[in-house]
Amino acid sequence: MSAQKTYRFQFIGLTIGLLVCFMVNISLGSIHIPLKNIIASLLGTNEVTSNWNVIIMDYRLPKAITAIMVGSGLGISGLLMQTLFRNPLAGPFVLGISSGASLGVALVILGSGLFGSLFATALMTKWSIVIAASLGSFLVLLAVLAVSNKVRDTMAILIIGLMFGSITAAVVSVLSYFSSAEQLQQYIFWGFGSVSNLSWYELLIFFGIYAVGLALSITSIKGLNSLLLGDNYAKSLGLNLKQSRLIIILATSLIAGTVTAFAGPIAFIGLAIPHVTRQIFKTTNHKILLPAVFLCGAIVMLICDTVAQVPNSDYTLPINAITALVGAPVVIWLLVRQRKMMF
């Protein structure tokens, strides 16, 4: 069987898997809703009770769509970072992008009291948190890239990214020391991560920014494939390195920053999903990897959210805990299985 036919069957399998996980995610929760009732509700028929229809349309459907965007977005962000820095351990968290977003949110939630009650009330809005997280991630990534132009060693760049994460964590610790118990609780709950509690209007804003980042990622496919073979080879193909890097930075910061703003700092998805996808598709061609990472990230995030909901129970686990339990063993297994990562 040719490689193209193999990829086609793999994409069909992942698409079917995504649809199954999507329906299961909507079906399971504190209240089990049969599949036929979900389909009837989505089609707008009158066969579903009003209570179930409200649960599906106002809570579970937005949650499932959010999980798809979060999983696919973080997976794509990780793929872009790993290719840009040619480092298998690169990702939104490792290089400080999500740490920068967390710092921006911490300045809003924990530092709002420093500006007085009037400014604190003005700052504590959903959109101020979104803007702060996006700016934080973008500024940290720009700082990491500026340093990377001076330092060519990829391991040094990785360490510098970790140091930026340590600096942001230190600032958050200082802000936490001077914050009230209520502010600390709010920031901690935000740090747990969640793909629920988004209205359709908020989801529309989320999708708009996510779509821009996704479009930029698609336009950078040629540049990503060229960067795999080094800067000199990319230049020989006529690639504008500065422009390509800027597009990759904008795409990553938009996606990772917005995901962190709306869903919190969700760990390991951005790091693990690109490696899992490469194991499935056995290719380095981003024309194949990008849509494959989209599907794999969305499937894994839907599964993690379904587990976090604890079906037939009123408990809801932190999504961050589930992604870490799933992602960390995957990364360990991949590193043990492959002594040398090749890009």
Side-chain angles (χ1 to χ4, degrees), residues 36-58:
K36 63 178 182 179
N37 296 100
I38 295 174
I39 296 174
S41 180
L42 295 178
L43 294 177
T45 63
N46 296 324
E47 299 176 7
V48 186
T49 62
S50 59
N51 290 337
W52 280 6
N53 192 61
V54 169
I55 292 172
I56 294 170
M57 301 304 297
D58 294 341

Side-chain angles (χ1 to χ4, degrees), residues 251-302:
T252 304
S253 61
L254 281 172
I255 295 174
T258 307
V259 165
T260 306
F262 281 99
I266 297 177
F268 284 103
I269 296 295
L271 179 60
I273 293 301
H275 292 301
V276 173
T277 306
R278 290 189 189 97
Q279 292 299 309
I280 296 173
F281 282 82
K282 306 293 183 182
T283 183
T284 57
N285 185 358
H286 287 77
K287 191 174 182 180
I288 296 171
L289 279 178
L290 199 68
V293 165
F294 177 96
L295 292 171
C296 289
I299 289 171
V300 170
M301 198 65 205
L302 282 170

Side-chain angles (χ1 to χ4, degrees), residues 20 28 30 66 69 81 85 87 91 95 103 131 136 176 199 208 215 228 230 237 279 288-289 308 333:
V20 171
L28 298 180
S30 58
T66 303
M69 290 195 292
M81 288 293 92
F85 291 100
N87 194 311
L95 293 181
L103 175 60
I131 294 171
S176 300
S199 66
L228 287 174
L237 294 177
Q279 292 299 309
I288 296 171
L289 279 178
W333 174 74

Side-chain angles (χ1 to χ4, degrees), residues 101 306 315:
T306 302
Y315 293 102

Side-chain angles (χ1 to χ4, degrees), residues 108-129:
V108 171
I109 296 178
L110 303 180
S112 59
L114 300 176
F115 302 99
S117 58
L118 180 61
F119 286 97
T121 303
L123 287 172
M124 290 303 296
T125 64
K126 185 74 174 181
W127 304 119
S128 63
I129 292 176

Side-chain angles (χ1 to χ4, degrees), residues 85-108:
F85 291 100
R86 293 192 291 277
N87 194 311
L89 295 178
F93 269 78
V94 176
L95 293 181
I97 301 174
S98 295
S99 298
S102 298
L103 175 60
V105 174
L107 289 172
V108 171

Side-chain angles (χ1 to χ4, degrees), residues 5-340:
K5 287 185 178 179
T6 301
Y7 295 149
R8 191 179 299 116
F9 282 119
Q10 288 172 330
F11 274 117
I12 292 173
L14 286 177
T15 303
I16 294 173
L18 177 60
L19 292 174
V20 171
C21 291
F22 180 77
M23 298 304 291
V24 170
N25 183 267
I26 296 177
S27 175
L28 298 180
S30 58
I31 299 174
H32 172 70
I33 301 177
L35 180 60
K36 63 178 182 179
N37 296 100
I38 295 174
I39 296 174
S41 180
L42 295 178
L43 294 177
T45 63
N46 296 324
E47 299 176 7
V48 186
T49 62
S50 59
N51 290 337
W52 280 6
N53 192 61
V54 169
I55 292 172
I56 294 170
M57 301 304 297
D58 294 341
Y59 178 72
R60 294 192 182 178
L61 182 58
K63 181 171 66 70
I65 295 173
T66 303
I68 290 175
M69 290 195 292
V70 168
S72 60
L74 290 178
I76 291 172
S77 297
L79 177 66
L80 296 181
M81 288 293 92
Q82 289 171 13
T83 302
L84 177 63
F85 291 100
R86 293 192 291 277
N87 194 311
L89 295 178
F93 269 78
V94 176
L95 293 181
I97 301 174
S98 295
S99 298
S102 298
L103 175 60
V105 174
L107 289 172
V108 171
I109 296 178
L110 303 180
S112 59
L114 300 176
F115 302 99
S117 58
L118 180 61
F119 286 97
T121 303
L123 287 172
M124 290 303 296
T125 64
K126 185 74 174 181
W127 304 119
S128 63
I129 292 176
V130 170
I131 294 171
S134 300
L135 287 176
S137 63
F138 183 66
L139 291 175
V140 169
L141 184 56
L142 279 181
V144 172
L145 190 67
V147 174
S148 70
N149 289 329
K150 304 293 183 181
V151 181
R152 295 298 178 184
D153 185 11
T154 55
M155 186 57 66
I157 295 172
L158 178 63
I159 295 172
I160 290 169
L162 292 172
M163 291 305 100
F164 274 111
S166 298
I167 292 170
T168 58
V171 175
V172 172
S173 297
V174 173
L175 290 173
S176 300
Y177 183 80
F178 292 101
S179 300
S180 65
E182 183 180 355
Q183 289 173 321
L184 283 173
Q185 185 182 42
Q186 185 176 0
Y187 181 75
I188 290 172
F189 275 111
W190 176 83
F192 284 158
S194 175
V195 294
S196 58
N197 302 324
L198 285 186
S199 66
W200 282 106
Y201 176 73
E202 292 169 341
L203 191 60
L204 183 63
I205 301 297
F206 183 9
F207 176 76
I209 303 173
Y210 166 87
V212 173
L214 186 61
L216 289 174
S217 302
I218 295 172
T219 60
S220 64
I221 287 177
K222 181 180 177 181
L224 291 167
N225 285 334
S226 301
L227 288 172
L228 287 174
L229 299 175
D231 293 349
N232 292 331
Y233 180 80
K235 288 179 180 178
S236 69
L237 294 177
L239 181 69
N240 188 328
L241 288 178
K242 289 186 178 180
Q243 182 179 357
S244 296
R245 284 174 175 168
L246 180 60
I247 292 174
I248 294 172
I249 288 171
L250 287 174
T252 304
S253 61
L254 281 172
I255 295 174
T258 307
V259 165
T260 306
F262 281 99
I266 297 177
F268 284 103
I269 296 295
L271 179 60
I273 293 301
H275 292 301
V276 173
T277 306
R278 290 189 189 97
Q279 292 299 309
I280 296 173
F281 282 82
K282 306 293 183 182
T283 183
T284 57
N285 185 358
H286 287 77
K287 191 174 182 180
I288 296 171
L289 279 178
L290 199 68
V293 165
F294 177 96
L295 292 171
C296 289
I299 289 171
V300 170
M301 198 65 205
L302 282 170
I303 293 172
C304 289
D305 179 60
T306 302
V307 174
Q309 290 301 313
V310 189
N312 300 320
S313 171
D314 292 332
Y315 293 102
T316 301
L317 300 176
I319 192 71
N320 241 336
I322 306 302
T323 56
L325 289 173
V326 172
V330 169
V331 174
I332 294 172
W333 174 74
L334 288 169
L335 292 175
V336 171
R337 188 169 181 264
Q338 289 186 334
R339 294 182 180 181
K340 185 178 181 181

